[in-house]
Amino acid sequence: MKRLPFTPLVLSALAVLFLAAAPALAQQDMTHVPTEAFKKLTRPPAAFAHDTHNEKAGLADCTACHHGEKDGKRDAASDTAGIPCSDCHAVAAKPGKTPLERAFHRQCMGCHLTQKKGPVTCGDCHKPAAK
Ligand code: HEC
Ligand code: HEC
Ligand code: HEC
Ligand code: HEC
């Protein structure tokens, strides 16, 4: 019998390499806001080409979106880039906490409204995937 070139050990080593490389690529390659936290989607995922968006919008400061937490409050100064919003904002509503959908809507639309730039209507963010 011929030996298979890919033993389970080789395969798992490849998987580790791939997983290690993925986070470094993810933010450049992002085209949409990740939606894994939502159990079921009722809208197409919101368009968001991370790096291109931030370049066009002139957002060099990561804390413009990636804030932290201190004593249960929003800590605007701490940089949490790379931590999913859902780590702190649960999908389900809890007293005194901004649930995930509202956290996104307030942050994204809030800035677009104050700057009078960027989409503010449902269909301009939740665009059906191009065919
Ligand atoms: C500035 C962009 C933006 C606009 C405008 C916007 N959304 Fe969203 N919305 C998001 C983001 C980001 C999320 C979280 C990621 C996702 O689900 O795509 C989200 C999530 C949602 C969700 C929860 C996930 C799901 O698919 O069920 C619903 C429902 C939703 N939006 C409805 C709306 C409706 C209705 C409007 C218009 C009144 C709207 N959104 C306008 C960006 C936007
Ligand atoms: C306009 C808002 C905004 C700005 C500014 C911003 N990000 Fe993000 N970033 C996001 C959103 C939204 C996500 C997805 C969060 C989630 O998964 O819940 C994200 C995700 C990431 C991820 C994870 C990628 C992945 O696929 O898991 C990294 C890393 C990241 N950002 C780094 C940065 C760095 C570094 C900066 C500053 C140079 C920055 N971000 C500025 C909005 C922003
Ligand atoms: C380390 C925890 C943490 C992370 C990560 C985090 N937040 Fe928050 N955020 C908080 C806390 C704490 C508050 C204040 C209590 C509340 O409203 O839930 C807050 C408040 C908010 C508010 C409402 C208050 C305001 O000043 O606008 C929005 C909107 C928001 N976050 C959006 C986001 C988005 C979008 C992301 C991901 C890009 C994110 N947050 C990531 C902890 C976090
Ligand atoms: C701090 C301000 C700010 C925040 C936060 C922000 N945006 Fe924007 N966004 C802008 C500006 C400014 C533009 C217009 C850029 C230009 O001149 O083309 C824009 C443009 C866009 C566009 C149009 C296409 C593009 O990429 O330029 C989309 C889609 C968009 N934003 C989605 C989002 C989503 C989704 C979020 C939340 C995860 C978000 N934005 C958060 C400032 C912001």
Side-chain angles (χ1 to χ4, degrees):
M1 257 251 239
K2 223 175 100 190
R3 255 193 117 209
L4 290 169
F6 289 106
T7 63
L9 194 69
V10 170
L11 281 176
S12 57
L14 283 172
V16 166
L17 277 176
F18 176 75
L19 288 174
L25 294 170
Q27 139 211 15
Q28 282 109 300
D29 296 345
M30 190 185 290
T31 56
H32 293 82
V33 172
T35 54
E36 289 80 17
F38 296 99
K39 288 277 169 304
K40 205 173 150 244
L41 293 181
T42 56
R43 299 262 164 179
F48 184 64
H50 192 282
D51 287 7
T52 314
H53 172 277
N54 296 345
E55 237 164 75
K56 276 204 265 176
L59 300 171
D61 186 2
C62 310
T63 60
C65 297
H66 297 288
H67 56 250
E69 172 161 4
K70 204 179 171 194
D71 306 326
K73 294 210 172 82
R74 180 179 183 269
D75 181 6
S78 86
D79 187 336
T80 58
I83 299 177
C85 312
S86 58
D87 271 23
C88 299
H89 297 280
V91 173
K94 280 189 210 124
K97 297 272 179 192
T98 307
L100 190 62
E101 182 187 327
R102 202 185 320 146
F104 279 119
H105 284 160
R106 278 187 62 177
Q107 184 170 88
C108 309
M109 275 191 257
C111 180
H112 294 168
L113 285 168
T114 18
Q115 295 209 10
K116 295 191 170 69
K117 268 187 199 162
V120 290
T121 55
C122 319
D124 284 338
C125 281
H126 297 285
K127 279 190 198 143
K131 280 186 192 131

